[in-house]
Amino acid sequence: MRKPVRPARRLAAVPRYLFAELSRKEAEARARGVDVISFGIGDPDLPSPEPVVATLVEEARRPENHRYPDYDGLASFRAAMAGYYARRFGVELDPVREVMTVIGSKEGISHLVWAMAEPGDVVLVPDPAYPVYATQAILAGARPVTMPLVAERGFLPDLDRISPEDIERAKLMFVNYPNNPTGATAERADYERIVEFCRRHGIVVVSDLAYVEMTFDGYVAPSILEVEGARDVAVEFYSLSKPFNMTGWRIAAAVGNAEALGALGIVKTNTDSGQWNAIQRAAQTALTRAPEEFFARMNAVYRRRRDRMVEGLRAAGLAAEPPRGSFYLWVPVPQGYTDVSLAARLLEEAGVVVAPGSAYGAAGAGYVRFALTLDDSRLEEGLRRIRSLDLAHSGSGSAVR
Ligand SMILES: *Cc1c(COP(=O)(O)O)cnc(C)c1O
Protein backbone atom coordinates (compact mmCIF):
# COMPACT_ATOMS: atom_id res chain seq x y z
CA MET A 1 0.00 0.00 0.00
CA ARG A 2 1.32 3.38 -0.94
CA LYS A 3 -0.39 6.73 -0.76
CA PRO A 4 0.16 8.37 -4.18
CA VAL A 5 2.35 11.50 -4.40
CA ARG A 6 0.67 14.49 -5.93
CA PRO A 7 2.31 17.50 -7.61
CA ALA A 8 0.89 20.96 -6.80
CA ARG A 9 -2.47 21.65 -8.39
CA ARG A 10 -1.15 24.81 -10.06
CA LEU A 11 0.98 22.64 -12.37
CA ALA A 12 -2.20 21.23 -13.90
CA ALA A 13 -3.02 24.74 -15.14
CA VAL A 14 0.30 25.06 -17.00
CA PRO A 15 -0.45 24.46 -20.67
CA ARG A 16 1.10 21.47 -22.40
CA TYR A 17 4.15 22.68 -24.22
CA LEU A 18 3.73 22.02 -27.94
CA PHE A 19 7.49 22.30 -28.08
CA ALA A 20 7.90 19.28 -25.82
CA GLU A 21 5.79 17.24 -28.23
CA LEU A 22 7.93 18.46 -31.12
CA SER A 23 11.17 17.58 -29.31
CA ARG A 24 9.80 14.11 -28.65
CA LYS A 25 9.00 13.60 -32.36
CA GLU A 26 12.43 14.94 -33.28
CA ALA A 27 14.13 12.53 -30.88
CA GLU A 28 12.07 9.66 -32.30
CA ALA A 29 13.10 10.57 -35.85
CA ARG A 30 16.77 10.71 -34.81
CA ALA A 31 16.40 7.33 -33.11
CA ARG A 32 15.02 5.93 -36.38
CA GLY A 33 18.25 7.09 -37.99
CA VAL A 34 16.83 10.17 -39.73
CA ASP A 35 19.42 12.90 -40.34
CA VAL A 36 17.36 15.69 -38.73
CA ILE A 37 17.96 19.30 -39.78
CA SER A 38 16.64 21.62 -37.08
CA PHE A 39 15.43 25.16 -37.69
CA GLY A 40 13.54 24.68 -34.43
CA ILE A 41 15.53 26.06 -31.54
CA GLY A 42 16.92 29.60 -31.36
CA ASP A 43 20.27 28.78 -29.82
CA PRO A 44 23.31 30.37 -31.52
CA ASP A 45 25.53 27.77 -33.20
CA LEU A 46 28.77 29.80 -33.08
CA PRO A 47 31.16 30.09 -30.07
CA SER A 48 31.25 32.80 -27.39
CA PRO A 49 33.85 35.58 -27.93
CA GLU A 50 37.41 34.37 -27.24
CA PRO A 51 38.32 37.21 -24.78
CA VAL A 52 35.22 36.30 -22.74
CA VAL A 53 36.29 32.66 -22.51
CA ALA A 54 39.83 33.76 -21.59
CA THR A 55 38.49 35.96 -18.77
CA LEU A 56 36.45 33.09 -17.37
CA VAL A 57 39.47 30.77 -17.35
CA GLU A 58 41.58 33.37 -15.57
CA GLU A 59 38.87 34.28 -13.05
CA ALA A 60 38.16 30.63 -12.32
CA ARG A 61 41.69 30.34 -10.86
CA ARG A 62 41.18 33.16 -8.35
CA PRO A 63 40.09 31.79 -4.94
CA GLU A 64 38.12 34.94 -4.08
CA ASN A 65 35.76 33.92 -6.88
CA HIS A 66 35.12 30.55 -5.26
CA ARG A 67 32.84 32.05 -2.63
CA TYR A 68 29.20 33.18 -2.73
CA PRO A 69 28.62 36.19 -4.98
CA ASP A 70 26.94 39.40 -3.74
CA TYR A 71 23.16 39.14 -3.80
CA ASP A 72 22.46 42.02 -6.17
CA GLY A 73 25.40 41.09 -8.37
CA LEU A 74 29.01 42.13 -8.71
CA ALA A 75 29.37 45.93 -8.51
CA SER A 76 31.81 45.96 -11.43
CA PHE A 77 29.43 44.01 -13.70
CA ARG A 78 26.56 46.33 -12.84
CA ALA A 79 28.77 49.36 -13.51
CA ALA A 80 29.81 47.84 -16.85
CA MET A 81 26.13 47.35 -17.74
CA ALA A 82 25.32 50.96 -16.77
CA GLY A 83 28.26 52.11 -18.90
CA TYR A 84 27.01 50.03 -21.81
CA TYR A 85 23.49 51.51 -21.55
CA ALA A 86 24.96 55.03 -21.55
CA ARG A 87 27.02 54.38 -24.69
CA ARG A 88 24.52 52.26 -26.60
CA PHE A 89 21.18 53.89 -25.69
CA GLY A 90 22.13 57.24 -24.13
CA VAL A 91 20.41 56.05 -20.93
CA GLU A 92 22.06 56.89 -17.57
CA LEU A 93 21.43 54.22 -14.93
CA ASP A 94 22.38 54.18 -11.26
CA PRO A 95 24.34 50.90 -11.09
CA VAL A 96 23.37 50.40 -7.44
CA ARG A 97 19.60 50.97 -7.57
CA GLU A 98 18.77 50.51 -11.23
CA VAL A 99 20.90 47.54 -12.33
CA MET A 100 20.76 44.00 -10.99
CA THR A 101 22.51 40.82 -12.10
CA VAL A 102 20.18 37.95 -13.02
CA ILE A 103 20.96 34.33 -13.89
CA GLY A 104 19.80 34.74 -17.48
CA SER A 105 16.75 36.82 -18.31
CA LYS A 106 14.49 33.76 -18.01
CA GLU A 107 15.28 33.62 -14.30
CA GLY A 108 14.80 37.36 -13.86
CA ILE A 109 11.53 37.43 -15.78
CA SER A 110 10.17 34.47 -13.83
CA HIS A 111 11.02 35.91 -10.44
CA LEU A 112 9.80 39.39 -11.36
CA VAL A 113 6.36 37.88 -12.04
CA TRP A 114 6.42 36.29 -8.57
CA ALA A 115 7.56 39.60 -7.08
CA MET A 116 4.77 41.65 -8.68
CA ALA A 117 1.70 39.51 -9.38
CA GLU A 118 -0.64 37.65 -7.08
CA PRO A 119 -3.91 35.71 -7.39
CA GLY A 120 -6.57 37.90 -8.98
CA ASP A 121 -4.01 40.04 -10.81
CA VAL A 122 -3.73 40.23 -14.56
CA VAL A 123 -0.46 39.90 -16.47
CA LEU A 124 -0.68 41.28 -20.02
CA VAL A 125 1.26 39.06 -22.41
CA PRO A 126 1.72 39.25 -26.17
CA ASP A 127 0.36 36.41 -28.30
CA PRO A 128 2.39 34.90 -29.89
CA ALA A 129 5.24 35.18 -27.37
CA TYR A 130 8.09 33.53 -25.53
CA PRO A 131 5.98 31.16 -23.37
CA VAL A 132 7.65 31.99 -20.04
CA TYR A 133 5.66 35.23 -19.51
CA ALA A 134 2.27 33.48 -19.40
CA THR A 135 3.49 30.30 -17.73
CA GLN A 136 5.02 32.17 -14.77
CA ALA A 137 1.83 34.22 -14.40
CA ILE A 138 -0.14 30.97 -14.14
CA LEU A 139 2.32 29.47 -11.64
CA ALA A 140 2.09 32.62 -9.50
CA GLY A 141 -1.71 32.28 -9.50
CA ALA A 142 -2.23 35.38 -11.65
CA ARG A 143 -4.18 35.44 -14.91
CA PRO A 144 -2.39 35.96 -18.22
CA VAL A 145 -4.45 38.10 -20.61
CA THR A 146 -3.21 37.98 -24.18
CA MET A 147 -2.57 40.94 -26.46
CA PRO A 148 -2.82 39.48 -29.99
CA LEU A 149 0.01 40.53 -32.32
CA VAL A 150 -1.10 40.60 -35.94
CA ALA A 151 0.77 41.34 -39.15
CA GLU A 152 -1.53 44.25 -40.10
CA ARG A 153 -0.37 46.14 -36.98
CA GLY A 154 3.29 45.25 -37.41
CA PHE A 155 2.95 42.70 -34.58
CA LEU A 156 2.58 45.52 -32.02
CA PRO A 157 -0.04 45.26 -29.24
CA ASP A 158 -3.36 47.08 -29.71
CA LEU A 159 -3.75 48.74 -26.30
CA ASP A 160 -7.29 49.91 -27.15
CA ARG A 161 -8.45 46.31 -27.24
CA ILE A 162 -7.60 45.56 -23.60
CA SER A 163 -10.80 45.61 -21.54
CA PRO A 164 -11.18 48.19 -18.73
CA GLU A 165 -11.58 45.34 -16.19
CA ASP A 166 -8.33 43.73 -17.29
CA ILE A 167 -6.52 47.09 -17.27
CA GLU A 168 -7.77 47.70 -13.73
CA ARG A 169 -6.34 44.38 -12.52
CA ALA A 170 -3.15 44.45 -14.60
CA LYS A 171 0.16 44.57 -12.70
CA LEU A 172 2.57 43.73 -15.51
CA MET A 173 2.76 44.05 -19.29
CA PHE A 174 5.37 42.20 -21.34
CA VAL A 175 6.83 43.53 -24.58
CA ASN A 176 9.67 42.03 -26.62
CA TYR A 177 11.25 43.76 -29.62
CA PRO A 178 12.95 42.71 -31.82
CA ASN A 179 10.34 40.03 -31.34
CA ASN A 180 10.52 36.31 -30.82
CA PRO A 181 8.86 34.64 -32.74
CA THR A 182 7.71 37.19 -35.37
CA GLY A 183 10.97 39.10 -36.00
CA ALA A 184 8.97 42.35 -35.70
CA THR A 185 10.70 45.52 -34.47
CA ALA A 186 9.54 48.58 -32.49
CA GLU A 187 10.33 52.27 -32.83
CA ARG A 188 10.77 54.68 -29.97
CA ALA A 189 7.28 56.09 -30.70
CA ASP A 190 5.78 52.65 -30.03
CA TYR A 191 7.51 52.56 -26.64
CA GLU A 192 6.27 56.11 -25.93
CA ARG A 193 2.68 54.95 -26.38
CA ILE A 194 3.23 51.89 -24.17
CA VAL A 195 4.99 53.88 -21.40
CA GLU A 196 2.22 56.50 -21.39
CA PHE A 197 -0.43 53.76 -21.08
CA CYS A 198 1.42 51.95 -18.29
CA ARG A 199 2.11 55.16 -16.33
CA ARG A 200 -1.57 56.09 -16.55
CA HIS A 201 -2.70 52.70 -15.26
CA GLY A 202 0.05 51.87 -12.76
CA ILE A 203 1.30 48.88 -14.73
CA VAL A 204 4.94 47.79 -14.72
CA VAL A 205 6.04 47.26 -18.32
CA VAL A 206 8.69 44.59 -18.79
CA SER A 207 10.79 44.98 -21.93
CA ASP A 208 12.63 41.84 -22.99
CA LEU A 209 15.61 42.90 -25.13
CA ALA A 210 16.88 39.41 -25.95
CA TYR A 211 17.46 40.34 -29.64
CA VAL A 212 18.25 44.05 -29.39
CA GLU A 213 21.67 43.68 -31.03
CA MET A 214 20.49 41.43 -33.86
CA THR A 215 19.32 43.89 -36.46
CA PHE A 216 19.82 44.38 -40.20
CA ASP A 217 19.56 46.81 -43.09
CA GLY A 218 20.64 49.82 -41.02
CA TYR A 219 17.96 49.43 -38.33
CA VAL A 220 19.14 50.03 -34.73
CA ALA A 221 16.76 48.80 -32.01
CA PRO A 222 15.95 51.18 -29.13
CA SER A 223 15.58 50.54 -25.39
CA ILE A 224 12.25 51.40 -23.76
CA LEU A 225 14.27 53.36 -21.19
CA GLU A 226 15.08 55.95 -23.87
CA VAL A 227 11.52 57.20 -23.37
CA GLU A 228 11.16 60.05 -20.88
CA GLY A 229 9.53 58.88 -17.65
CA ALA A 230 10.01 55.22 -18.58
CA ARG A 231 11.98 54.38 -15.45
CA ASP A 232 8.89 55.13 -13.34
CA VAL A 233 7.24 52.02 -14.80
CA ALA A 234 9.71 50.04 -16.93
CA VAL A 235 11.99 47.13 -16.17
CA GLU A 236 14.17 45.92 -19.00
CA PHE A 237 16.07 42.66 -19.38
CA TYR A 238 19.35 42.82 -21.27
CA SER A 239 20.57 39.28 -21.85
CA LEU A 240 24.05 38.39 -23.06
CA SER A 241 22.77 35.02 -24.30
CA LYS A 242 21.87 35.67 -27.92
CA PRO A 243 24.05 38.70 -28.87
CA PHE A 244 27.29 37.18 -27.52
CA ASN A 245 26.54 33.49 -28.23
CA MET A 246 26.46 32.89 -24.47
CA THR A 247 23.19 31.00 -23.90
CA GLY A 248 24.93 28.41 -21.74
CA TRP A 249 26.49 30.96 -19.38
CA ARG A 250 23.23 32.22 -17.83
CA ILE A 251 23.97 35.90 -17.48
CA ALA A 252 21.77 38.97 -17.98
CA ALA A 253 20.84 42.21 -16.21
CA ALA A 254 17.53 43.62 -15.03
CA VAL A 255 17.59 47.41 -15.32
CA GLY A 256 15.17 50.27 -14.77
CA ASN A 257 12.49 50.89 -12.14
CA ALA A 258 14.16 50.69 -8.72
CA GLU A 259 11.01 49.68 -6.78
CA ALA A 260 10.31 46.70 -9.04
CA LEU A 261 13.99 45.69 -8.89
CA GLY A 262 13.84 45.90 -5.10
CA ALA A 263 10.85 43.54 -5.10
CA LEU A 264 12.68 41.21 -7.49
CA GLY A 265 15.63 41.29 -5.10
CA ILE A 266 13.46 40.06 -2.22
CA VAL A 267 12.37 37.01 -4.22
CA LYS A 268 15.90 36.36 -5.46
CA THR A 269 17.68 36.61 -2.11
CA ASN A 270 15.25 33.99 -0.83
CA THR A 271 15.59 31.76 -3.89
CA ASP A 272 19.04 31.80 -5.45
CA SER A 273 22.42 33.12 -4.38
CA GLY A 274 23.29 34.94 -7.55
CA GLN A 275 25.46 34.18 -10.56
CA TRP A 276 29.10 33.12 -10.16
CA ASN A 277 31.47 36.11 -9.98
CA ALA A 278 33.77 34.60 -12.63
CA ILE A 279 30.88 34.59 -15.11
CA GLN A 280 29.97 38.17 -14.21
CA ARG A 281 33.59 39.23 -14.79
CA ALA A 282 33.65 37.44 -18.13
CA ALA A 283 30.40 39.19 -19.05
CA GLN A 284 32.07 42.51 -18.21
CA THR A 285 34.68 41.69 -20.83
CA ALA A 286 31.90 41.06 -23.36
CA LEU A 287 30.30 44.44 -22.63
CA THR A 288 33.51 46.45 -22.71
CA ARG A 289 35.84 44.79 -25.27
CA ALA A 290 34.53 46.20 -28.59
CA PRO A 291 31.11 44.48 -28.53
CA GLU A 292 30.03 46.43 -31.64
CA GLU A 293 32.67 44.63 -33.70
CA PHE A 294 31.43 41.26 -32.50
CA PHE A 295 27.80 42.16 -33.30
CA ALA A 296 28.78 43.39 -36.76
CA ARG A 297 30.49 40.06 -37.53
CA MET A 298 27.55 38.03 -36.19
CA ASN A 299 24.94 40.11 -37.96
CA ALA A 300 26.77 39.66 -41.25
CA VAL A 301 26.47 35.90 -40.71
CA TYR A 302 22.77 36.04 -39.80
CA ARG A 303 21.97 38.45 -42.63
CA ARG A 304 23.55 36.12 -45.18
CA ARG A 305 21.58 33.19 -43.77
CA ARG A 306 18.39 35.27 -43.63
CA ASP A 307 18.64 36.33 -47.26
CA ARG A 308 19.51 32.83 -48.43
CA MET A 309 16.58 31.33 -46.46
CA VAL A 310 14.08 33.91 -47.71
CA GLU A 311 15.17 33.27 -51.29
CA GLY A 312 15.11 29.49 -50.86
CA LEU A 313 11.76 29.38 -49.07
CA ARG A 314 10.17 31.59 -51.71
CA ALA A 315 11.47 29.22 -54.37
CA ALA A 316 9.78 26.44 -52.38
CA GLY A 317 6.45 28.28 -52.52
CA LEU A 318 6.47 29.83 -49.03
CA ALA A 319 5.75 33.54 -48.46
CA ALA A 320 8.89 34.34 -46.41
CA GLU A 321 9.74 37.98 -45.59
CA PRO A 322 13.13 39.18 -44.28
CA PRO A 323 12.88 40.52 -40.69
CA ARG A 324 14.79 43.66 -39.59
CA GLY A 325 15.60 42.04 -36.25
CA SER A 326 16.09 38.69 -34.45
CA PHE A 327 17.30 35.50 -36.11
CA TYR A 328 13.84 34.12 -36.89
CA LEU A 329 11.72 33.89 -40.01
CA TRP A 330 7.99 33.93 -39.26
CA VAL A 331 6.42 32.34 -42.30
CA PRO A 332 2.70 31.94 -43.06
CA VAL A 333 1.81 28.35 -44.00
CA PRO A 334 0.58 27.65 -47.53
CA GLN A 335 -3.05 26.81 -48.26
CA GLY A 336 -4.19 23.41 -47.12
CA TYR A 337 -1.94 23.36 -44.07
CA THR A 338 -2.08 24.33 -40.44
CA ASP A 339 1.12 25.25 -38.65
CA VAL A 340 1.01 21.90 -36.87
CA SER A 341 0.34 19.87 -40.03
CA LEU A 342 3.10 21.66 -41.95
CA ALA A 343 5.62 21.14 -39.13
CA ALA A 344 4.59 17.46 -38.96
CA ARG A 345 4.96 16.95 -42.73
CA LEU A 346 8.36 18.69 -42.82
CA LEU A 347 9.61 16.41 -40.07
CA GLU A 348 8.08 13.18 -41.36
CA GLU A 349 8.88 13.58 -45.05
CA ALA A 350 11.97 15.80 -45.04
CA GLY A 351 13.54 15.35 -41.59
CA VAL A 352 13.28 19.13 -41.15
CA VAL A 353 12.27 20.64 -37.79
CA VAL A 354 10.46 23.99 -37.59
CA ALA A 355 8.46 25.42 -34.69
CA PRO A 356 4.68 25.54 -35.22
CA GLY A 357 3.42 29.07 -34.50
CA SER A 358 0.70 27.94 -32.13
CA ALA A 359 3.44 26.83 -29.70
CA TYR A 360 3.76 30.58 -28.98
CA GLY A 361 0.04 31.22 -28.50
CA ALA A 362 -3.25 30.96 -30.35
CA ALA A 363 -2.49 33.97 -32.55
CA GLY A 364 0.60 32.16 -33.82
CA ALA A 365 -1.52 29.53 -35.57
CA GLY A 366 -1.00 29.66 -39.31
CA TYR A 367 2.71 30.43 -39.08
CA VAL A 368 5.86 28.40 -38.62
CA ARG A 369 9.12 29.76 -37.24
CA PHE A 370 12.53 29.07 -38.76
CA ALA A 371 15.60 29.83 -36.58
CA LEU A 372 18.73 30.80 -38.53
CA THR A 373 21.07 29.02 -36.12
CA LEU A 374 22.66 26.45 -38.38
CA ASP A 375 25.58 26.56 -40.79
CA ASP A 376 25.43 27.13 -44.54
CA SER A 377 25.69 23.51 -45.62
CA ARG A 378 22.90 22.33 -43.27
CA LEU A 379 20.79 25.33 -44.23
CA GLU A 380 21.20 24.51 -47.95
CA GLU A 381 20.42 20.86 -47.35
CA GLY A 382 17.30 21.86 -45.38
CA LEU A 383 16.16 24.12 -48.21
CA ARG A 384 16.77 21.39 -50.80
CA ARG A 385 14.59 18.98 -48.84
CA ILE A 386 11.83 21.56 -48.30
CA ARG A 387 11.78 22.35 -52.04
CA SER A 388 11.43 18.67 -52.85
CA LEU A 389 8.06 18.56 -51.04
CA ASP A 390 6.48 20.95 -53.56
CA LEU A 391 4.48 22.62 -50.76
CA ALA A 392 2.72 25.18 -52.95
CA HIS A 393 0.91 22.45 -54.88
CA SER A 394 0.50 19.67 -52.38
CA GLY A 395 -1.37 21.24 -49.47
CA SER A 396 -4.92 19.96 -49.39
CA GLY A 397 -5.33 16.23 -49.09
CA SER A 398 -1.89 15.08 -48.11
CA ALA A 399 -1.22 17.45 -45.24
CA VAL A 400 -4.08 17.35 -42.75
CA ARG A 401 -4.16 13.98 -41.16
C1 LIG B 1 16.08 33.24 -25.60
C2 LIG B 1 15.10 34.18 -25.00
C3 LIG B 1 15.17 34.52 -23.65
C4 LIG B 1 16.12 33.81 -22.70
O1 LIG B 1 17.21 34.53 -22.44
P1 LIG B 1 18.21 34.04 -21.28
O2 LIG B 1 18.89 35.30 -20.89
O3 LIG B 1 19.11 33.03 -21.90
O4 LIG B 1 17.39 33.45 -20.18
C5 LIG B 1 14.32 35.48 -23.15
N1 LIG B 1 13.40 36.06 -23.94
C6 LIG B 1 13.27 35.74 -25.23
C7 LIG B 1 12.23 36.39 -26.04
C8 LIG B 1 14.10 34.77 -25.79
O5 LIG B 1 13.94 34.42 -27.07
Side-chain angles (χ1 to χ4, degrees), residues 314-318 334-337 342 345 386-399:
R314 285 180 177 169
L318 294 171
Q335 242 189 351
Y337 290 93
L342 178 62
R345 178 153 188 241
I386 295 167
R387 247 191 331 267
S388 73
L389 295 184
D390 196 18
L391 295 171
H393 302 103
S394 59
S396 23
S398 67

Side-chain angles (χ1 to χ4, degrees), residues 37-56:
I37 296 181
S38 182
F39 294 97
I41 294 168
D43 189 354
D45 56 311
L46 293 168
S48 310
E50 178 49 36
V52 176
V53 177
T55 305
L56 177 69

Side-chain angles (χ1 to χ4, degrees), residues 289-325:
R289 192 88 55 89
E292 302 78 13
E293 285 167 30
F294 187 76
F295 302 151
R297 271 203 305 282
M298 285 310 305
N299 286 341
V301 171
Y302 290 127
R303 187 173 46 75
R304 195 185 66 234
R305 292 177 182 175
R306 178 199 72 167
D307 291 345
R308 184 60 201 116
M309 271 308 277
V310 166
E311 183 189 3
L313 290 176
R314 285 180 177 169
L318 294 171
E321 292 290 336
R324 282 198 306 173

Side-chain angles (χ1 to χ4, degrees), residues 42 103-107 109 130 133 176 180 208 210-211 239-242 247 250-252 328:
I103 309 172
S105 54
K106 187 178 190 177
E107 178 269 307
I109 287 166
Y130 182 57
Y133 315 142
N176 162 229
N180 175 11
D208 180 354
Y211 300 94
S239 171
L240 282 84
S241 286
K242 314 283 169 50
T247 49
R250 315 311 305 136
I251 182 74
Y328 301 113

Side-chain angles (χ1 to χ4, degrees), residues 192-205:
E192 281 168 1
R193 225 169 326 114
I194 289 164
V195 165
E196 191 275 323
F197 179 90
C198 289
R199 284 176 61 99
R200 186 149 37 96
H201 298 293
I203 299 168
V204 168
V205 55

Side-chain angles (χ1 to χ4, degrees), residues 33 155 157 167 214 229 244 271 301 315 320 361 382:
F155 298 108
I167 293 174
M214 267 162 220
F244 292 103
T271 307
V301 171

